[in-house]
Amino acid sequence: MKGTKMGRNKQAVNHRPTHDTEREFGGTLGAVCIPVFLPLTVLFLIGVSQSPEASVFQWPPKLPSTDQLWDPLAPMLLLGWIGLHALLYFMPFGKVSEGLALRDGTRLKYPINGFHSLCVSAVLLMVLLGLRAPLGFLFELLVPLAVSAIAVSFLFSIYLYVRSFLVPSHALALGGDTGNPLYDFFIGRELNPRIGNFDLKYFCELRPGLIGWVVINLGMLMKEVELRGSPSLSMILVNCFQLLYVADALWNEEAVLTTMDIVHDGFGFMLVFGDLAWVPFTYSLQASFLVVHPQTLSLLKAAVIVALNGVGYYIFRKSNSQKNQFRRDPTHPSVSGLETIATATGKRLLVSGWWGLVRHPNYLGDLLMALAWSLPCGFSHLLPYFYVIYFTILLIHREARDERQCKAKYGLAWDTYCRRVPYRIFPYIY
Ligand code: NDP
């Protein structure tokens, strides 16, 4: 068994995706176009969400004017925020966990204190609110903040690309060392870049951007209070749903250590921009939309939306926890009774329970929640549905990537699993 595994690893180490067809996200073309197109999309969407028409079909697309792009306060706030979270990373709270074994056999250690960082951030925000700090000003500052986050993403990715030439080859991501500088810059060369004990990828995954997202939401709520005296039910729902999602991610921070992002993907522009710019500034679009486009929501509709979010959250949490528990300890009573199939790697695959319903029950739950976040914004505009549309595309693409990796890892056993559980995300549909 060991020999087979080592053989597989050796093969993988030697395998560099040298052809564009083997590369992800459209290869070189994607690596050139995405870093131009996505930052412009962020600025466009913020502009649309704050405009009275809020039309995504406006042609030519309305981008913010140059004088709206810059405010010296924005980079100061952004860098201060990232610096604060870097300090909180070293707080001596929470446990220290080990990641999966790397190709050289070692395991990295990670502080599990993201939830503590969220709590400290919440206390600081409460203090600021108590001091009557104008948090609603984040609404005016959104575009300059997004511009700063985009600039930081580019500069940081250049740093990551350059430093990746100083590390040994076993520290590089398997798919990120193609020799094509544009693609490698985009997809990420180094797997786990660290400065001392500070893990740059792990830090960015769940902290400044994710917590920043709910802070922006709070800023939008405070803007509504400034404009209309009190927050609307729609705004409260959007804030609560998304806070629950972020708090859940940080409460279960350890689970990120086994995700594709940490285990497989290099740290380059794709993840940096996603973590620091895309997530906080596009996931908060519903809240910024509601500031300019207030909605009335009946209690009955609100109850239906809360129930939808609850069902989505239940499926999402239960399925993720089931798999994490199974991977950590397959003999645990909560998973030991489930039906599984053996694979040549020694690991087993669940074929009953949540993972017997569809091959990605966690994506199904996530998508139901995404829909629940859009519904409080009514049906008059498409923009608030941007997240659920984009997220469906992202998860379908992510599912295909994961499927390819699982097929490569588990071979025939994966085929058997696919026959036993034919649907990928939506039962009887897809
Ligand atoms: P998943 O948690 O879905 O993990 C996929 C891995 O699980 C596979 O590679 C395989 O790894 C293992 N696996 C697959 N099928 C089985 C099975 N039947 N039995 C046991 N193990 C199995 O990966 P993601 O990182 O994509 O998603 C994690 C969560 O994050 C999801 O809930 C997703 O919705 C969410 N997410 C949210 C995003 C956002 O922007 N809001 C973005 C991306 C993800 P192995 O066998 O090696 O353990």
Side-chain angles (χ1 to χ4, degrees), residues 100 210 213 245 258-261 279 283 316 319-320 323-324 326-327 347-351 355-356 359-360 362-364 366-367 373 387 390-391 394-395 398-399 402-403 405-406 409-410 414 417:
L100 298 183
L210 209 64
W213 164 25
Y245 190 75
T258 56
T259 59
M260 232 194 291
D261 292 4
V279 166
Y283 287 22
F316 164 85
S319 55
N320 274 320
K323 178 171 63 76
N324 292 339
F326 181 70
R327 279 286 173 255
K347 273 186 178 176
R348 303 185 74 86
L349 290 168
L350 290 165
V351 276
W355 296 80
R359 299 207 290 273
H360 266 99
N362 48 355
Y363 291 2
L364 172 67
D366 223 335
L367 286 169
W373 302 351
Y387 177 72
Y390 140 81
F391 202 45
L394 176 124
L395 288 184
R398 195 173 170 92
E399 197 278 337
D402 189 49
E403 191 99 344
Q405 285 165 27
C406 287
K409 259 187 292 189
Y410 301 127
W414 187 256
Y417 176 52

Side-chain angles (χ1 to χ4, degrees), residues 89 97-100 110-114 191-192 199-207 210 248-265 271 275 316-317 320 323-324 328 398:
Y89 182 97
S97 266
E98 285 193 335
L100 298 183
Y110 298 88
I112 309 295
N113 59 8
L191 187 59
N192 303 297
D199 191 294
L200 298 168
K201 181 164 67 168
Y202 174 71
F203 169 71
C204 288
E205 274 287 295
L206 295 184
R207 293 164 189 238
L210 209 64
D248 177 273
L250 291 162
W251 182 259
N252 296 288
E253 192 179 24
E254 205 174 356
V256 85
L257 298 180
T258 56
T259 59
M260 232 194 291
D261 292 4
I262 296 289
V263 176
H264 175 266
D265 293 337
L271 280 181
D275 291 341
F316 164 85
R317 175 60 16 242
N320 274 320
K323 178 171 63 76
N324 292 339
R328 251 203 311 272
R398 195 173 170 92

